[in-house]
Amino acid sequence: MIGISACLGGICCRYDGGTQKISELAALVSEQKALLICPEVLGGLSTPRQPAEIIGGDGFAVWQGTAKVVDTAGKDVTEAFKAGAVNALAQLQKLGINRLILKERSPSCGSQMIYDGSFSGTKITGVGVATALFQQNGLQVYSEENWQQALTES
Ligand code: SF4
C-alpha cells in the first residue's frame, strides 16, 4: 500500500476547494492499494482556505524553527501544518506505508520545488512541511511528476 495526496486522488481539499485528480491514482484508492492523506486538512485547516507559503526556507527549516508558514492574510499557520504532518505520519506508520506520491510545489506536500514565500509565483528547490517530516522518518516521497516510479519500485 502507498500513500497519496488526497487532492491527487480526487478529493476537493486544495486551498481553493479544487482537486488535482489523476485517474490512475484515484483507481489505486478504489482498489484499496492506497491511502489518501491531506496534511493541511488533518491539521485542522478548512477548505477552502487562504493559500500559504513557507517563509525563510523549506519544510526542513520549518521543523528546525528557522522558517514559518504564512497565508496570504498574514496568518501564521505553521503549527497547523506541523500538526497535520504529524497526524498524517501516524496514519501512514500505522498501516506500514513507507512510499508516497505527493503533490509537487505544495507547502505541505512538495518534494522537489516549493514557492519562495513571496506569493509571486517564484519557485525554489525545497520540500514541504509534511514531506520533510516523512523523509526524516525514512519514507520515500514521489510526486505526480514521477509517480510511475513509485509503483514500479514497489
Ligand atoms: S496539503 Fe497536500 S494533499 Fe492537501 S491539498 Fe495540499 S497538496 Fe493536496
Side-chain angles (χ1 to χ4, degrees):
M1 183 171 262
I2 64 170
I4 298 176
S5 281
C7 57
L8 295 178
I11 304 300
C12 295
C13 55
R14 271 173 50 102
Y15 72 91
D16 60 2
T19 178
Q20 291 280 329
K21 181 177 178 180
I22 294 177
S23 298
E24 293 95 330
L25 299 183
L28 291 176
V29 181
S30 304
E31 295 163 10
Q32 300 187 332
K33 294 178 180 174
L35 173 73
L36 295 180
I37 51 130
C38 176
E40 292 175 27
V41 169
L42 290 171
L45 296 171
S46 59
T47 306
R49 53 191 171 276
Q50 298 288 333
E53 295 187 4
I54 300 174
I55 295 177
D58 74 348
F60 289 115
V62 169
W63 291 104
Q64 289 163 0
T66 57
K68 59 185 179 180
V69 190
V70 176
D71 70 18
T72 49
K75 183 180 178 185
D76 187 332
V77 289
T78 306
E79 292 309 313
F81 270 61
K82 290 170 71 175
V86 169
N87 191 337
L89 178 64
Q91 292 192 23
L92 294 163
Q93 289 180 326
K94 192 174 177 182
L95 292 173
I97 295 172
N98 59 12
R99 189 163 299 167
L100 300 150
I101 300 170
L102 302 183
K103 179 74 187 74
E104 193 57 276
R105 292 175 289 281
S106 155
S108 287
C109 295
S111 56
Q112 298 289 332
M113 304 286 288
I114 57 170
Y115 292 99
D116 72 347
S118 66
F119 295 99
S120 65
T122 306
K123 293 186 276 285
I124 57 172
T125 300
V127 306
V129 175
T131 296
L133 183 68
F134 300 156
Q135 291 182 339
Q136 283 171 340
N137 282 273
L139 281 66
Q140 289 181 273
V141 180
Y142 300 83
S143 76
E144 75 276 21
E145 295 173 359
N146 62 1
W147 62 266
Q148 294 91 343
Q149 201 179 336
L151 300 185
T152 55
E153 290 181 0
S154 61

